[in-house]
Amino acid sequence: SAASDVYKRQALVIFIDDKSQLKIKEDSEVTITGKKIASTISKNIRMDNGTVRAQVNKQRKGEFVIQSTTSVASVKGTDFWMITDPVDGDLVIGLEGLVTLTNNETGAEVDVTEGTSGSSTPDGDVDVEETEERALD
């Protein structure tokens, strides 16, 4: 029906230890693993393809990592989008806080902050620039 087309399909994951959230858009392939460390969970999100929004509360002893075949995004506490494509690479759009985006091929890294976007390509290039207006919400 036309009404169902209005609402975009996505899954919401809320971690019980710190209430961090992952919004996973449709047609995304994501594997979530965790390891309990004291009262927190060290979280590892593997993205093969797709788009997620991570709203991460401050991490203590645990870690919050999103990785693809191209890059690793390490998070301390922030809000950002990550768009992954195995051919084109990764795009991280910073909404708040800080994300370190590291390329798996070269080890090159950039810091992505509010209002900036970081890119990482399969051939090893990383870049950060001011975010262009996008409608991801």
Side-chain angles (χ1 to χ4, degrees):
S1 74
S4 65
D5 292 338
V6 173
Y7 299 99
K8 294 188 190 241
R9 288 177 247 183
Q10 61 184 5
L12 175 63
V13 176
I14 301 173
F15 293 95
I16 58 172
D17 63 329
D18 63 4
K19 305 297 186 251
S20 290
Q21 297 183 13
L22 270 185
K23 292 179 183 169
I24 305 166
K25 291 202 167 217
E26 64 181 330
D27 297 327
S28 298
E29 295 176 52
V30 178
T31 303
I32 301 170
T33 57
K35 181 177 180 183
K36 189 167 182 191
I37 301 173
S39 63
T40 63
I41 301 170
S42 177
K43 304 156 193 77
N44 185 297
I45 294 86
R46 171 69 189 200
M47 285 184 63
D48 292 324
N49 187 54
T51 302
V52 300
R53 180 175 179 180
Q55 294 172 289
V56 183
N57 293 320
K58 293 281 185 215
Q59 299 296 293
R60 294 184 203 110
K61 294 176 184 173
E63 293 180 41
F64 196 108
V65 174
I66 300 180
Q67 62 182 17
S68 73
T69 55
T70 303
S71 315
V72 175
S74 302
V75 183
K76 295 278 189 276
T78 191
D79 186 355
F80 67 99
W81 286 97
M82 184 162 174
I83 304 164
T84 297
D85 182 286
V87 175
D88 296 330
D90 301 328
L91 178 66
V92 170
I93 302 169
L95 302 176
E96 183 181 302
L98 171 72
V99 179
T100 301
L101 180 63
T102 306
N103 185 277
N104 292 334
E105 182 71 24
T106 61
E109 64 182 36
V110 292
D111 286 338
V112 181
T113 57
E114 180 179 346
T116 65
S117 293
S119 60
S120 176
T121 62
D123 63 5
D125 289 335
V126 292
D127 191 24
V128 66
E129 56 189 40
E130 200 169 301
T131 301
E132 297 175 18
E133 284 293 316
R134 295 177 186 266
L136 286 172
D137 292 317

